[in-house]
Amino acid sequence: MKKKELDTRLIHSHFDRQQHHGSLAHPLYQTSTFVFDNAEQGEARFAGNESGYMYSRLGNPTVTELEKKMADLEEAEEAVAFGSGMAAVSGVLFHLLKSGDHVLVSEGVYGCTYGFLEMVKEKFNIDFDLMQMSSEAAIKERIRPETKVLYVETPINPTMKLVDLKMVIKAAQEEGLRVVVDNTFSSPYLQQPLTLGADFVIHSATKYISGHGDVIAGIAAGPAEDMQTIRMTTQKDIGGVIGPFDAWLLLRGLKTLAVRMDRHCDNARFIFEKLKEEQSVKNIIYPGDKNFAQHHLAKSQMKDFGGLISFEIEGGKKAAQAFMNELSVVQVAVSLGDAESLIQHPSTMTHSVVPEEDRKKMGITDSLVRLSVGLESGEDIWQDIKQALEKAYMKI
């Protein structure tokens, strides 16, 4: 039978209602531990000789439903849900790396991922280099004998630069390296790196997967053998587990992912066209822009162009902050992918941990703001931005 479309699988995949008394919604197993029939059953489960649940840090039915659904959506063999996006990032990288290893990282990576890489470099002698990953030759030139992983964000936060996944994966496979892709900005609705040959996909599920700004969570998906090892080592023993209620909220959020992403993308297109008319706005960065250097790559690699736009405000940091302070519909907050439109100032917020010199190389200036376009009326979002720009320039 033909596999159902992703829109349908978001709602129906991997849920046998007959096993849950015919419940339409996923049940919430809000429990920390599970009772055994007898001592022998407990022994068998801990020995791995009998399937079943033992303790929610080691597995929970609600979490399992989420993991099965995310594996299906990303076309992965298996997925593991974490307590945060950074728990997913660190869980996968700790699994793949040891002291003395080296990672090549796409330039402009999320600030906390950069902070994590700096920490493991200092504490565990795991080195990394940032690079643009502009060509196969450039990548191979930077690969060392100790390089084990290519770590990619695409689109990159917050500069929206894209990395050609097919090119990176080809280079990695020829060199025997593993490829990890942070797919947070796209969600599996817009992009599925594993279908192109990537080894692992990571999400901050806090963002589009949830979509409602009420969960902190992460997802990693990849080969079953790797994911099972991650589940029983870097997740279990470090402890970055997700609670069942958060998993239940994510299952609920996933049901509307398709319609939400379509609205995010449509609103972002509308706002981009309006921003182009503003003299006080410069250097608008949006993959849907036909003049965007990687527009054709975005068209070939993504289903649509996403809900994020970065742009610079004439007048530097002072003007950017003055503009943000005049907004009312758009909320000044980090994160993205929520129903609410959110705006943040990367150089002083999400990427403040990155040294100024590196920020400038990434294209993160003091004038740059990142807008996560929400689900409100596109016209209302625009009117709020327009009035904020006018008021800000009256004050500075």
Side-chain angles (χ1 to χ4, degrees):
M1 188 173 79
K2 180 187 174 185
K3 191 168 187 177
K4 292 182 175 63
E5 296 294 327
L6 187 140
D7 307 56
T8 301
R9 284 152 49 207
L10 282 164
I11 299 169
H12 291 289
S13 72
H14 290 283
F15 181 46
D16 185 352
R17 292 183 173 85
Q18 296 311 307
Q19 294 184 10
H20 301 285
H21 310 285
S23 174
L24 178 66
H26 292 87
L28 169 59
Y29 288 87
Q30 188 67 42
T31 182
S32 59
T33 196
F34 298 84
V35 177
F36 306 123
D37 292 340
N38 49 54
E40 288 77 14
Q41 184 183 63
E43 179 185 12
R45 289 188 181 178
F46 271 92
N49 297 326
E50 178 182 312
S51 62
Y53 296 98
M54 300 169 284
Y55 184 66
S56 279
R57 180 161 55 84
L58 311 178
N60 174 282
T62 309
V63 175
T64 298
E65 292 287 345
L66 171 64
E67 292 172 338
K68 286 181 177 179
K69 187 175 286 289
M70 285 302 304
D72 177 64
L73 299 176
E74 284 289 7
E75 304 286 349
E77 291 181 1
E78 194 166 324
V80 175
F82 290 82
S84 71
M86 283 310 303
V89 171
S90 57
V92 170
L93 290 180
F94 271 136
H95 165 66
L96 294 173
L97 301 168
K98 65 181 186 306
S99 181
D101 286 346
H102 172 253
V103 190
L104 277 179
V105 183
S106 55
E107 194 172 78
V109 71
Y110 173 52
C112 289
T113 302
Y114 180 92
F116 171 76
L117 291 166
E118 283 283 7
M119 180 181 69
V120 297
K121 180 178 180 178
E122 178 185 345
K123 291 181 177 293
F124 305 116
N125 190 33
I126 297 172
D127 201 4
F128 73 97
D129 284 315
L130 299 173
M131 67 170 299
Q132 290 188 0
M133 296 190 178
S134 56
S135 69
E136 191 173 339
I139 291 171
K140 289 187 175 183
E141 189 175 311
R142 300 289 292 275
I143 292 173
R144 311 176 190 171
E146 60 269 25
T147 304
K148 297 296 187 294
V149 172
L150 297 186
Y151 186 95
V152 179
E153 278 186 21
T154 182
I156 293 171
N157 181 16
T159 60
M160 307 301 150
K161 292 177 183 175
L162 272 67
V163 176
D164 185 333
L165 287 173
K166 288 183 179 179
M167 178 271 292
V168 168
I169 290 162
K170 181 175 181 289
Q173 289 176 343
E174 289 175 357
E175 299 294 327
L177 308 180
R178 311 298 291 276
V179 177
V180 181
V181 180
D182 185 332
N183 201 30
T184 297
F185 270 31
S186 296
S187 86
Y189 184 69
L190 298 184
Q191 182 173 266
Q192 294 173 313
L194 297 184
T195 66
L196 302 177
D199 297 287
F200 301 90
V201 163
I202 290 170
H203 290 275
S204 170
T206 308
K207 314 304 193 291
Y208 288 114
I209 302 301
S210 164
H212 292 79
D214 51 12
V215 179
I216 299 293
I219 300 287
E225 184 177 354
D226 288 279
M227 301 317 296
Q228 289 164 11
T229 301
I230 288 169
R231 186 189 306 282
M232 297 310 296
T233 55
T234 56
Q235 187 189 49
K236 174 178 73 71
D237 295 332
I238 296 176
V241 298
I242 187 173
F245 183 61
D246 286 343
W248 183 84
L249 287 171
L250 292 177
L251 284 165
R252 186 175 67 163
L254 277 169
K255 290 183 180 182
T256 60
L257 179 65
V259 291
R260 287 189 287 106
M261 291 306 297
D262 286 342
R263 178 62 174 258
H264 284 301
C265 292
D266 289 345
N267 273 352
R269 255 187 296 275
F270 175 77
I271 297 301
F272 166 71
E273 293 297 332
K274 293 293 187 180
L275 284 170
K276 288 196 300 182
E277 301 169 4
E278 288 296 314
Q279 291 185 345
S280 57
V281 173
K282 61 178 183 177
N283 190 26
I284 307 169
I285 312 170
Y286 170 60
D289 180 1
K290 292 179 181 178
N291 295 317
F292 181 67
Q294 297 172 302
H295 177 69
H296 292 293
L297 176 60
K299 286 181 69 175
S300 67
Q301 191 164 279
M302 300 169 67
K303 180 179 177 181
D304 207 336
F305 303 114
L308 287 146
I309 305 172
S310 291
F311 54 94
E312 291 183 306
I313 305 292
E314 289 279 7
K317 175 181 171 181
K318 183 178 179 182
Q321 291 182 332
F323 158 66
M324 293 167 67
N325 290 340
E326 294 295 339
L327 293 163
S328 58
V329 173
V330 181
Q331 303 297 300
V332 178
V334 295
S335 199
L336 57 104
D338 291 341
E340 297 84 0
S341 293
L342 305 177
I343 196 164
Q344 65 110 351
H345 188 243
S347 70
T348 60
M349 295 180 182
T350 53
H351 288 69
S352 58
V353 67
V354 180
E356 183 178 3
E357 183 179 347
D358 287 336
R359 284 202 306 270
K360 288 180 178 178
K361 288 180 183 177
M362 294 174 182
I364 303 171
T365 69
D366 286 345
S367 302
L368 189 75
V369 296
R370 189 196 72 192
L371 174 67
S372 172
V373 184
L375 305 181
E376 306 96 341
S377 155
E379 186 61 40
D380 286 339
I381 298 170
W382 171 243
Q383 289 302 321
D384 189 39
I385 292 171
K386 186 173 179 61
Q387 65 82 27
L389 287 169
E390 291 172 354
K391 288 182 180 177
Y393 279 93
M394 289 173 63
K395 291 184 176 181
I396 60 173

